[in-house]
Amino acid sequence: MADVYTSGRFVGTVDSSEEFRQKLVEARRAGEIPDTVNVHIDTDTDTVFVESSKGRLRRPLIVVKDGKSLLTNDHLNRLKKNDLKWSDLMKDGIVEYLDAGEEENALIAFAEEDITPEHTHLEVSALAMFGLVTSLVPFANYNSAQKVNTGSKNQKQALGFYAANYPIRMDMDVNLLHTPQRPIVKSVMHDISEYEKHPSGQNIIVAVMSFGGYNMEDAIVINRGSIDRGLGRSTYYRPMVSEELRYSGGLVDEISVPDKEVKGYKSERDYRYLEDDGIIYPEAILAEGDVVIGKTSPPRFLSGMDQYNLTADLRRESSVSMQHGERGIVDFVLVTENGEGNKLVQVKLRQERIPEVGDKFTSRHGQKGVVGLIVPQADMPFSASGVTPDLLFSPHGIPTRMTMAHLIELVAGKAGALSARTVDSTIFDSEPEAAIRQELLGLGFRDSGLETLYNGRTGEQYKVKIYIGNMYYLRLKHMVTNKIHSRARGPVQLLTRQPTEGRAKEGGLRLGEMEKDTFVAHGAAMVLKERFDSDRTTLPVCEECGLVAIYDEYKKRAFCQVCGESEINFVEMSYAFKLILDEFKSLCIYPKLRLEDKY
Amino acid sequence: MADVFGQFKDSLPESVIADAKDAATKEKMTDSQAKKLMEALLDEQNKMRVAPGECVGLISAESIGEPGTQMTLNTFHFAGVAEMNITMGLPRIIEILDGQKKIATPMMEIYLHKPYSEGKDIKKLALRIKESKLDDVAREYSINLTESTIDVSIDQTQIEALGMTMGDLVKAVKKENKSLTVSSEGETITFKTKTKDDTFNEIYKLKEKLRETYIGGIKGISQVLPVKRNEEFMIVTAGSNLKKILPMEEVDSERTFSNDIYEIENVLGIEAARQAIVNEVYKVIESQGLNVDIRHLMLVADTMTADGNFKGITRYGVVSGKASVLARASFETPIKHILNAALYGEEDSLTSVIENVMLNQPVPVGTGLPKLQMKTK
């Protein structure tokens, strides 16, 4: 007696769980019940679970019966002739989809040779165990599993040709590689996914060597000549959006060139690119602070005192302008209406991004690195035939990460480039490395992939042979220009008068709790004080009641609100401390300062 | 010659003077040479002194805290002997520094006097130390429902191993179960409830209780393991009870120790507890292959035991003793501290580091320490 559950609900019992399961599976293969139904037996409790709910992850497998795959050569031939379709195979019960539960009861052979009488299923292809992006990692079966994972993650961040209609799209934060190339070393998945129609990398010449320490700790050295020829060159698009919002009381925003009377008017210069409709014209070259969409909003609150205030009916300036340190060219302007019928203006900003020191590049093996140095072509190492590498990769990145496929791709790419063909690097089904090396030998190169290189600066021959070849490299979307940040003086927060936080607000870099401790440990009391001087204030304090007093700027004298004319002295403290004293007062705690002479 | 060394008796450690003496006699130094040597040594020692205003507490904290980040979070670690789990690693350090009264795995290392330390009766001794229960010697329990009695047949070899006789056992059992009538006949002990009509459930519960009856050994010691360490036999136990172990004549009470610092404080006093903190923390740090100067640990142990009680570094322990309200408030539960300060009208004289950082004034350590003093006429 075994309990049966369908989609998690108890429905009854059966005499033999195994018999029941087999019956159901057979019925499914015969097409008597839908093929989306899966059965599995929990062997510990002898319970049958029949699942037909949505949201289960399922994968296709070839059915094996009596130690023989049901998929025959005849099927394969008919498939090739387009005589037979995948759905036909499913209908015939040759292929079926298993969910995670049913997989537990199955014994799946990896290859047809491995099948024994115990096996129930056969893997369609070894590739099936990887996802789409992971299948794009060449020779991935030679890599450490961890690096296959990072390699596939990196590819998602690569710049490429993301959509053919990019000029008329309004995407957030996109990059476009100028000259994407089809990879020389590719896999079956590249064909299946039509990767060649939207490639995201370039085939470049890589030499595995150090270069004056500029490529240590995962950095890379890039050839200036290659960059000038267009290596890794990309465009960054950023939309700027503004909308005429409607507020209560019939008030609306207005997209126009703001009046000079408007509250918060910037300067005439900042509005100079705006056309009469308050929107910028295409191809305007913008720098920091320039207004892109001019807009004014109605006054924020209309209440109480405002009716006596003459400035109250003034509109507020709420234009969209270029951020701190930002430059770019207006690509195109879109004026439309949003779902609520409000006027919506979108401006697409374009910026050319030439690779620079600090930009991130990677091969397809999780071997990411940041540009450490850009070397003039004349100074780059060169081979006897005059080839200079585009990129120098440090050999220290290899041993601990065990990315053997990185090295194999290098020779494979070299052989492919030299004999003008693509190399198949499908996982578990790639061209044999030995054959590739043999081909290289036939092309007049060493089968090891090594070449004699000469120092570009001195012309001397390097004492060791250098591993050099072609690889598919990707430029990743992390670029320094989006991240670089520094500050000396700048904006402060309203509440605490401490520096703002974050790059967007031109914020300071926080000297945190533990950093503070290091100054204390050194006994550097004055340095510490100076570092925390950002919110320093000098306040009048009443000697009598110990509360913060008031300084009257007109009469040039200080007085205490509690004691009136009492002795008042000025005390230097952090504004944050003044704030906490105020907070104490709001808790009905009387924080009394007792003043003492400093010296 | 002796005169020269005598001069430095108060300023240099004894061991240094002794070493210098040896060297001087070996090198056949003259008095003036010896004096020069001693002065050089004194100079060297003074150079090693911590300068006034050096922020020793913070440096200790950083020196322990930084390697602490590298510590593996392995809770359990087989400390050389099989079958015994001992809390090690970060959880153990947290346990010690927080001053937890009930530690996760109390443990003792019992050193023995000769001839026991040479292995004489070591197994017997170990069994005697271990807390024994009736269940350990019982072979069978049988419940007689009509009579409301429980018969327990005793495994004779087991009680012999414990060094007990049937008579001892009965006496021990009687002492623990005063509410029952206990009688024995041959190898069985019979327990009879005084009330007549007990339900089966009640008798069953009673049986379960009887199994846990204490019959001998030392309470709290759940496991014993005789081991041979450095040519010497000793007993490692799980569970700790110094009060009972130390007076035993077989035990070398000078070397025997527990890892329960709270117990050490109660039995041996605060100085022993201080040393135990240093030893236990150092043991963990060493086992992780880290290197922390022992003096940092000594400072921590000193602050934890300074007022004569073993206090953890928590808001209830060491931190609660801080003079400054602002310093306490900045550690944990600020509202509680501020409100209490307001209730009692506490005053903060701003003498330590944190308060001054809050006010943005020079902290009174290092260069912030010296002050100008004016002569008033």
Side-chain angles (χ1 to χ4, degrees):
Chain A
M1 285 278 270
D3 292 348
V4 180
Y5 292 81
T6 60
S7 297
R9 191 167 294 165
F10 177 72
V11 287
T13 55
V14 291
D15 290 336
S16 162
S17 52
E18 185 53 38
E19 214 171 276
F20 178 69
R21 186 187 77 90
Q22 268 171 12
K23 246 189 204 160
L24 263 183
V25 169
E26 234 113 86
R28 181 181 66 201
R29 286 177 190 167
E32 287 160 23
I33 55 171
D35 55 42
T36 48
V37 174
N38 287 103
V39 213
H40 93 271
I41 301 171
D42 185 80
T43 42
D44 292 338
T45 56
D46 196 28
T47 319
V48 186
F49 294 92
V50 183
E51 288 292 341
S52 62
S53 54
K54 59 184 174 183
R56 288 167 297 132
L57 208 57
R58 308 191 312 146
R59 66 193 196 95
L61 290 168
I62 299 165
V63 177
V64 171
K65 252 197 189 137
D66 308 320
K68 257 199 189 128
S69 164
L70 290 188
L71 188 79
T72 56
N73 276 331
D74 178 47
H75 287 119
L76 291 174
N77 287 333
R78 283 174 63 195
L79 275 169
K80 261 180 204 158
K81 275 185 254 160
N82 242 343
D83 215 22
L84 205 65
K85 280 185 294 196
W86 178 260
S87 52
D88 297 327
L89 291 178
M90 280 184 69
K91 230 177 269 163
D92 295 347
I94 294 164
V95 171
E96 64 181 356
Y97 281 77
L98 297 196
D99 71 352
E102 193 165 346
E103 231 180 0
E104 289 296 316
N105 298 136
L107 183 63
I108 304 161
F110 194 59
E112 196 154 7
E113 309 88 82
D114 299 342
I115 297 180
T116 65
E118 281 83 52
H119 280 99
T120 59
H121 293 88
L122 171 66
E123 204 78 62
V124 175
S125 158
L127 204 62
M129 77 166 108
F130 300 101
L132 188 145
V133 190
T134 310
S135 324
L136 298 179
V137 178
F139 302 107
N141 49 318
Y142 294 93
N143 268 346
S144 105
Q146 218 276 309
K147 287 291 146 184
V148 176
N149 189 18
T150 40
S152 70
K153 276 189 210 155
N154 284 162
Q155 293 198 69
K156 295 173 200 168
Q157 302 184 347
L159 310 190
F161 185 66
Y162 76 101
N165 63 344
Y166 73 89
I168 54 159
R169 288 169 66 113
M170 263 295 175
D171 297 290
M172 288 297 289
D173 205 40
V174 279
N175 290 282
L176 194 82
L177 191 67
H178 287 187
T179 48
Q181 295 175 347
R182 309 188 313 211
I184 295 173
V185 181
K186 63 172 199 177
S187 70
V188 173
M189 197 51 89
H190 284 89
D191 295 330
I192 296 171
S193 65
E194 301 195 324
Y195 189 83
E196 301 188 343
K197 289 190 175 167
H198 57 89
S200 50
Q202 290 165 326
N203 295 296
I204 61 168
I205 299 171
V206 176
V208 181
M209 62 182 287
S210 63
F211 192 84
Y214 284 96
N215 61 356
M216 59 181 169
E217 289 292 335
D218 277 349
I220 49 170
V221 171
I222 289 199
N223 187 335
R224 160 131 282 139
S226 311
I227 291 175
D228 293 344
R229 276 175 244 124
L231 183 139
R233 200 168 283 225
S234 69
T235 297
Y236 175 66
Y237 292 102
R238 195 176 95 87
M240 294 180 121
V241 188
S242 195
E243 178 183 358
E244 279 189 349
L245 285 173
R246 287 168 201 281
Y247 302 92
S248 59
L251 297 163
V252 280
D253 287 340
E254 191 194 344
I255 291 177
S256 62
V257 183
D259 260 0
K260 279 188 183 161
E261 272 83 65
V262 158
K263 208 191 253 172
Y265 188 79
K266 292 176 197 236
S267 76
E268 224 167 308
R269 203 188 116 87
D270 290 336
Y271 299 102
R272 67 186 185 282
Y273 294 116
L274 297 188
E275 295 193 322
D276 294 343
D277 59 355
I279 306 168
I280 205 153
Y281 60 87
E283 299 303 317
I285 301 165
L286 302 179
E288 161 184 353
D290 289 338
V291 173
V292 182
I293 304 164
K295 192 171 86 170
T296 54
S297 300
R300 214 180 295 246
F301 306 109
L302 275 177
S303 65
M305 295 299 287
D306 279 351
Q307 49 184 304
Y308 306 108
N309 195 339
L310 284 171
T311 57
D313 55 337
L314 280 184
R315 296 176 70 83
R316 279 181 302 120
E317 138 81 20
S318 56
S319 302
V320 177
S321 49
M322 299 286 283
Q323 283 170 8
H324 175 73
E326 196 185 25
R327 336 183 119 261
I329 300 165
V330 177
D331 199 56
F332 82 89
V333 176
L334 180 80
V335 182
T336 179
E337 215 170 59
N338 74 0
E340 284 129 41
N342 297 335
K343 188 180 181 186
L344 179 76
V345 177
Q346 289 186 305
V347 176
K348 196 168 163 188
L349 209 69
R350 152 165 54 89
Q351 245 179 308
E352 189 179 38
R353 292 286 172 83
I354 301 167
E356 58 179 322
V357 171
D359 282 354
K360 198 175 175 186
F361 285 81
T362 183
S363 73
R364 289 174 287 177
H365 310 278
Q367 284 287 7
K368 57 179 186 240
V370 154
V371 178
L373 183 69
I374 298 171
V375 183
Q377 177 157 9
D379 291 345
M380 282 298 268
F382 58 90
S383 75
S385 54
V387 173
T388 52
D390 298 307
L391 187 145
L392 301 179
F393 173 85
S394 168
H396 293 289
I398 299 288
T400 52
R401 291 182 245 261
M402 299 176 284
T403 54
M404 301 327 293
H406 185 91
L407 304 176
I408 298 169
E409 191 198 331
L410 192 133
V411 270
K414 192 175 186 174
L418 286 165
S419 47
R421 69 180 188 96
T422 57
V423 179
D424 184 15
S425 66
T426 310
I427 312 176
F428 294 113
D429 200 19
S430 51
E431 289 182 29
E433 187 196 338
I436 292 167
R437 290 189 183 280
Q438 203 53 45
E439 185 180 344
L440 213 51
L441 205 59
L443 290 161
F445 285 82
R446 285 192 190 83
D447 62 350
S448 60
L450 299 175
E451 271 179 55
T452 305
L453 290 199
Y454 299 86
N455 187 327
R457 284 171 175 162
T458 63
E460 283 168 356
Q461 184 182 319
Y462 284 119
K463 280 183 183 146
V464 287
K465 306 268 179 289
I466 305 293
Y467 195 56
I468 181 170
N470 295 53
M471 287 191 78
Y472 195 64
Y473 251 76
L474 319 166
R475 185 177 188 203
L476 300 183
K477 64 178 182 189
H478 306 284
M479 283 171 265
V480 255
T481 34
N482 293 334
K483 297 184 173 180
I484 193 165
H485 173 54
S486 66
R487 147 172 179 155
R489 285 162 294 167
V492 291
Q493 277 162 15
L494 193 66
L495 183 70
T496 60
R497 297 199 187 166
Q498 285 170 358
T500 51
E501 197 190 323
R503 188 181 115 95
K505 282 172 272 175
E506 216 201 325
L509 297 166
R510 186 185 167 81
L511 184 98
E513 193 79 7
M514 292 171 94
E515 290 75 19
K516 172 212 79 181
D517 286 349
T518 61
F519 284 117
V520 178
H522 276 274
M526 300 307 164
V527 178
L528 182 69
K529 184 182 177 302
E530 211 172 84
R531 293 294 324 234
F532 283 148
D533 264 357
S534 61
D535 65 340
R536 181 185 57 190
T537 41
T538 308
L539 293 173
V541 174
C542 173
E543 290 265 17
E544 223 162 278
C545 63
L547 290 174
V548 175
I550 287 172
Y551 184 74
D552 189 330
E553 280 287 348
Y554 289 111
K555 294 178 186 161
K556 296 276 178 239
R557 75 191 172 94
F559 67 98
C560 175
Q561 274 188 306
V562 181
C563 315
E565 301 291 320
S566 55
E567 199 186 326
I568 284 163
N569 274 305
F570 285 86
V571 181
E572 187 189 295
M573 64 177 89
S574 63
Y575 190 81
F577 186 68
K578 187 241 153 196
L579 198 67
I580 204 175
L581 294 182
D582 290 344
E583 285 183 8
F584 287 160
K585 279 180 248 170
S586 75
L587 283 169
C588 295
I589 294 171
Y590 174 19
K592 185 171 182 177
L593 300 178
R594 187 166 296 162
L595 303 189
E596 237 173 62
D597 274 326
K598 201 170 174 186
Y599 303 108
Chain B
M1 191 83 157
D3 195 41
V4 180
F5 296 108
Q7 274 176 19
F8 292 88
K9 217 176 79 185
D10 297 329
S11 45
L12 281 170
E14 265 175 49
S15 61
V16 174
I17 295 177
D19 282 356
K21 229 177 206 170
D22 285 349
T25 30
K26 209 169 140 197
E27 298 289 327
K28 296 191 184 87
M29 282 185 189
T30 63
D31 269 15
S32 65
Q33 275 176 320
K35 194 166 183 198
K36 245 186 195 161
L37 169 71
M38 293 309 283
E39 269 161 5
L41 284 172
L42 186 62
D43 211 40
E44 206 56 39
Q45 178 186 270
N46 288 342
K47 268 192 219 158
M48 294 294 149
R49 285 233 166 122
V50 171
E54 185 83 275
C55 197
V56 285
L58 186 53
I59 291 171
S60 283
E62 286 186 342
S63 305
I64 299 167
E66 195 276 331
T69 61
Q70 303 171 31
M71 246 186 288
T72 46
L73 289 161
N74 277 346
T75 320
F76 293 109
H77 180 10
F78 296 103
V81 279
E83 294 159 28
M84 226 176 258
N85 276 329
I86 295 153
T87 318
M88 287 297 272
L90 205 59
R92 174 66 181 149
I93 289 200
I94 290 168
E95 190 175 78
I96 299 166
L97 297 187
D98 280 359
Q100 285 170 13
K101 291 204 168 144
K102 263 228 141 64
I103 62 171
T105 50
M107 186 216 108
M108 275 191 301
E109 287 189 9
I110 303 169
Y111 287 88
L112 303 166
H113 284 307
K114 274 184 187 172
Y116 304 99
S117 63
E118 286 158 347
K120 187 189 170 223
D121 296 339
I122 184 91
K123 279 207 173 124
K124 250 189 191 165
L125 188 61
L127 272 179
R128 253 175 61 210
I129 288 170
K130 185 175 181 260
E131 180 179 354
S132 305
K133 291 170 180 158
L134 187 60
D135 205 37
D136 296 335
V137 293
R139 195 192 296 138
E140 197 183 359
Y141 300 87
S142 47
I143 297 172
N144 187 333
L145 266 178
T146 50
E147 301 282 318
S148 282
T149 56
I150 301 168
D151 293 335
V152 184
S153 66
I154 303 298
D155 189 336
Q156 293 300 313
T157 51
Q158 287 291 335
I159 52 168
E160 256 167 55
L162 286 177
M164 292 174 96
T165 62
M166 206 50 200
D168 296 334
L169 181 64
V170 174
K171 224 192 251 169
V173 167
K174 265 187 182 160
K175 204 178 148 202
E176 292 289 314
N177 293 291
K178 293 210 168 112
S179 61
L180 304 171
T181 8
V182 183
S183 56
S184 70
E185 202 192 307
E187 292 189 1
T188 46
I189 303 178
T190 310
F191 297 89
K192 195 164 197 262
T193 52
K194 283 175 180 162
T195 49
K196 256 261 158 179
D197 350 272
D198 291 295
T199 60
F200 173 73
N201 210 4
E202 278 165 45
I203 294 202
Y204 186 79
K205 267 188 198 153
L206 183 68
K207 189 207 98 183
E208 287 301 310
K209 219 179 99 193
L210 281 178
R211 290 172 60 157
E212 296 295 310
T213 307
Y214 165 78
I215 55 164
I218 289 166
K219 273 193 180 161
I221 292 167
S222 56
Q223 264 186 68
V224 284
L225 197 74
V227 289
K228 194 176 183 185
R229 199 175 286 175
N230 301 331
E231 301 298 307
E232 186 185 354
F233 283 91
M234 54 177 296
I235 298 168
V236 179
T237 68
S240 177
N241 193 339
L242 280 179
K243 207 171 184 175
K244 286 271 170 61
I245 290 288
L246 292 183
M248 287 176 67
E249 57 174 323
E250 298 91 342
V251 170
D252 184 349
S253 55
E254 284 177 21
R255 291 189 292 158
T256 297
F257 69 90
S258 162
N259 72 347
D260 186 342
I261 290 153
Y262 191 65
E263 190 185 10
I264 292 178
E265 188 210 345
N266 285 332
V267 177
L268 297 170
I270 196 70
E271 280 299 329
R274 190 203 85 103
Q275 190 58 45
I277 295 170
V278 176
N279 292 348
E280 290 295 317
V281 177
Y282 198 70
K283 215 196 282 177
V284 177
I285 288 170
E286 229 180 9
S287 75
Q288 301 272 334
L290 303 171
N291 189 19
V292 174
D293 194 303
I294 199 156
R295 277 164 285 197
H296 295 308
L297 304 178
M298 285 155 89
L299 185 70
V300 171
D302 277 340
T303 50
M304 288 173 74
T305 53
D307 69 349
N309 293 306
F310 171 51
K311 276 181 164 180
I313 305 174
T314 61
R315 69 189 120 135
Y316 309 109
V318 171
V319 179
S320 73
K322 282 195 179 185
S324 163
V325 194
L326 294 175
R328 265 179 284 138
S330 75
F331 183 69
E332 271 166 14
T333 56
I335 297 167
K336 198 182 92 189
H337 281 115
I338 302 274
L339 289 180
N340 270 328
L343 279 177
Y344 297 112
E346 269 189 70
E347 193 168 306
D348 196 321
S349 49
L350 308 179
T351 43
S352 99
V353 175
I354 310 166
E355 308 96 274
N356 286 294
V357 171
M358 287 168 89
L359 268 82
N360 194 23
Q361 285 184 347
V363 289
V365 288
T367 52
L369 199 60
K371 292 263 158 62
L372 272 184
Q373 186 106 42
M374 266 204 287
K375 224 183 232 172
T376 43
K377 275 183 190 163

